[in-house]
Each structure stands twice: as structure tokens, then as C-alpha cells.
Amino acid sequence: MRAVTNKKELSRFIVGGCSAVITDYLTYLLMVKMGIDVAAAKLISFMLGSLVGFIINKYWTFESDGKVRRELMKYALLYAITAGLNVWVNQVALNNDCPTWLAFLFATGASTIANFLGQKFFVFR
């Protein structure tokens, strides 16, 4: 049985996660500036960042040789759940007068923890 988290895996997850978050954040900002509803913009930006994360985590972070279709379905299920968590945390923070950037960080932090655990023990195990 492999260690719960090895250093290489964790550092790669951080790099991959940063790439996904940058994609998420820039998409979110652009869509909000275009006048798209904040919740819709957050959901779409999160989904785009999630796709970037899948590619990086499957092939680089967890070096999975599992079937793409099966892992993508598990990943989609995990991200459907964590997308809801992400949007909900973002909205709760905004409703409590948090600045947009802080609400984004809270939402991203909550979903990042859930995503790492879900990918490690469910999607790419």
C-alpha cells in the first residue's frame, strides 16, 4: 500500500492545482467583467479549471494508467459535488460581505481539500 501522500505527488498536485486555479480565476474575472451572473461565472470558470486539473493530475500528478473514460466519469462526479461546494462557499462568503477575491479564496480552499482527497482515494487510486 502506498503512503497516504508522498512529497512528489503533493508538490505536483500543488503545481497542477495552481494551473487550474489560475485558469478558474482568470475566466471568472473575465466573465464577471462581461456582466455574467456571479454564480454562473463561478460555475463555468470552476468547470474549465477542473478540466485543466484532470489532464494534469491524471497524466502527471498521479501518473494514472487507468482507463480515461472511467476516471473521467469518476472525476466528473467528484467535481460535480465539489463544484456545488465551491459555488456555495463563494456565495456564503459574498453574502457575509467578504471581498470578491477573499470569497474566491475560501471557495477554492474548500474545494481543493475535497478534490485532493477524492482524486487520491477515489478517482486515481
Side-chain angles (χ1 to χ4, degrees):
M1 185 172 182
R2 67 185 205 200
V4 172
T5 301
N6 65 48
K7 196 177 205 179
K8 175 180 159 186
E9 203 172 68
L10 186 56
S11 62
R12 286 182 174 191
F13 184 80
I14 291 168
V15 170
C18 287
S19 300
V21 169
I22 289 168
T23 301
D24 182 352
Y25 187 60
L26 292 177
T27 303
Y28 177 70
L29 288 179
L30 178 64
M31 294 180 84
V32 169
K33 281 188 179 242
M34 292 171 55
I36 295 172
D37 176 72
V38 173
K42 189 66 189 98
L43 179 60
I44 293 166
S45 71
F46 182 80
M47 290 170 58
L48 188 58
S50 298
L51 181 60
V52 168
F54 175 80
I55 293 166
I56 292 170
N57 288 326
K58 174 173 177 47
Y59 296 106
W60 190 54
T61 303
F62 297 106
E63 299 176 348
S64 176
D65 58 1
K67 295 187 187 264
V68 173
R69 185 177 299 157
R70 182 181 198 139
E71 289 176 342
L72 189 55
M73 289 178 67
K74 287 180 171 182
Y75 191 86
L77 175 61
L78 173 66
Y79 269 70
I81 293 165
T82 59
L85 174 67
N86 188 286
V87 172
W88 178 75
V89 169
N90 189 66
Q91 197 61 53
V92 167
L94 290 173
N95 289 345
N96 285 286
D97 298 323
C98 279
T100 303
W101 67 270
L102 187 56
F104 179 88
L105 289 179
F106 286 151
T108 300
S111 60
T112 297
I113 293 167
N115 284 326
F116 179 79
L117 295 173
Q119 287 178 59
K120 179 147 182 84
F121 298 110
F122 175 63
V123 177
F124 301 119
R125 58 185 178 117

